[in-house]
Amino acid sequence: MTATVFRIGGDLEVRRLGFGAMRLPTEPGPEREGSLAVARRAVELGVTLIDTAYMYGWGANEELLAEALHPYPDGVHVTTKVGIGRTVPAGEWTQDARPAALREQVERALRRLRVERIELLQLHRLDPAVPLADQIGALRELRDEGKIGRIGLSEVTVGELAAAREIVGIASVQNRYNLLDRAHEPVLAACEAAGIAFLPWATVAWGKSGATAEVAAVAAEAGATPTQVALAWLLGHSPVIVPIPGTARIAHLEENLAAEALRLTEQQRARLDRLGEQD
């Protein structure tokens, strides 16, 4: 039977189906109230890992989650990401993993999330303009100071992951990956070999799974939705995968979490596996 929990870094136990908060509207008004309700419903339904980032509204998403959930129930963890900044005056995003910038972003995230320690902090992107040892070293210092518990990376290659692990222990990797897009299969394999959590984003290919005949056929056979099939496939594909599907609607949230109970047959899984062999 597919495990329903995973221990990130070997000790941070989370439910394997998490929640990605990126899509939650943060502007004042009815949509924001809906966002608060979705975040609270996720926790009510047993979600223990919620993913956000400084880049999601430049801190507004973090503030939204704190408003919705603080004080956080026992076992609920909000993971955030740093290493992205805004250009001036255009306001466009740019990589910024200078040690001083990372420290400032972590300090601000602590305040916005209303915590003294972020149990899992991920570097949103490696910054090609900053030596890897400086970027990872800064996060290691923050971990040693107790401000973050575990360090993760996002959108990295096998080589980058290996190089980072020579500097500090890496607890998670967050790369784009789903049933129809498996370009990072080698990274997933490296994570599995090392027991590193793999948090795929774009878990259901932005809804395109339902447009694929094979996925739709399996969904019809299983009495499930294509989204649920895509998530169930991820959960069974590797024991280190911790999907973080996102939505701004409670109905969709409940649909996503119900995927945990879906059991695909070996034949169905084999048919879905073959989708990754197509161009």
Side-chain angles (χ1 to χ4, degrees):
M1 181 176 291
T2 303
T4 58
V5 299
F6 185 82
R7 291 177 176 83
I8 299 176
D11 60 352
L12 185 69
E13 184 171 294
V14 298
R15 180 180 177 180
R16 281 186 66 201
L17 262 181
F19 174 68
M22 181 180 72
R23 296 184 181 182
L24 295 179
T26 58
E27 294 296 321
E31 288 191 340
R32 181 184 178 88
E33 293 304 312
S35 295
L36 296 171
V38 169
R40 290 166 181 155
R41 182 60 176 154
V43 172
E44 288 175 359
L45 292 172
V47 168
T48 57
L49 182 67
I50 299 175
D51 175 82
T52 184
Y54 168 59
M55 185 182 179
Y56 305 163
W58 306 114
N61 199 271
E62 294 169 332
E63 292 173 343
L64 174 83
L65 292 173
E67 180 181 340
L69 303 173
H70 190 273
Y72 304 101
D74 289 343
V76 172
H77 306 287
V78 177
T79 173
T80 191
K81 297 182 285 293
V82 296
I84 299 293
R86 280 192 291 185
T87 59
V88 178
E92 298 177 349
W93 73 270
T94 183
Q95 290 156 285
D96 188 359
R98 294 169 299 146
L102 292 177
R103 178 171 290 275
E104 180 181 4
Q105 286 189 24
V106 168
E107 295 285 2
R108 290 182 176 179
L110 288 167
R111 292 195 294 271
R112 285 191 292 263
L113 292 170
R114 308 180 200 174
V115 295
E116 295 182 356
R117 169 182 162 114
I118 298 168
E119 292 299 337
L120 176 63
L121 182 108
Q122 300 179 104
L123 184 58
H124 212 146
R125 294 290 187 276
L126 293 178
D127 188 343
V130 178
L132 181 67
D134 291 352
Q135 303 176 58
I136 305 301
L139 297 181
R140 182 180 60 195
E141 289 178 4
L142 288 160
R143 185 201 63 182
D144 292 346
E145 293 169 16
K147 293 181 178 180
I148 61 178
R150 295 151 199 82
I151 297 168
L153 304 173
S154 181
E155 286 303 291
V156 291
T157 65
V158 171
E160 290 167 339
L161 173 60
R165 292 184 66 209
E166 292 181 359
I167 301 169
V168 72
I170 299 299
S172 68
V173 167
Q174 186 169 331
N175 280 17
R176 175 174 168 169
Y177 184 88
N178 56 63
L179 177 59
L180 305 180
D181 180 357
R182 306 184 207 171
H184 287 298
E185 193 79 40
V187 181
L188 171 59
C191 288
E192 187 170 328
I196 295 170
F198 186 88
L199 282 61
W201 62 274
T203 50
V204 293
W206 288 296
K208 293 179 182 178
S209 298
T212 304
E214 196 66 77
V215 178
V218 170
E221 293 168 11
T225 66
T227 291
Q228 290 171 334
V229 168
L231 290 172
W233 179 85
L234 281 171
L235 289 170
H237 186 59
S238 169
V240 302
I241 287 182
V242 182
I244 47 170
T247 180
R249 297 190 296 113
I250 287 180
H252 192 198
L253 168 71
E254 294 173 346
E255 174 191 349
N256 290 344
L257 295 178
E260 191 176 71
L262 177 59
R263 299 290 177 259
L264 300 173
T265 67
E266 290 186 11
Q267 182 197 50
Q268 289 168 339
R269 187 166 290 282
R271 287 156 57 193
L272 296 172
D273 286 346
R274 286 193 290 271
L275 293 177
E277 301 170 2
Q278 301 174 6
D279 292 333

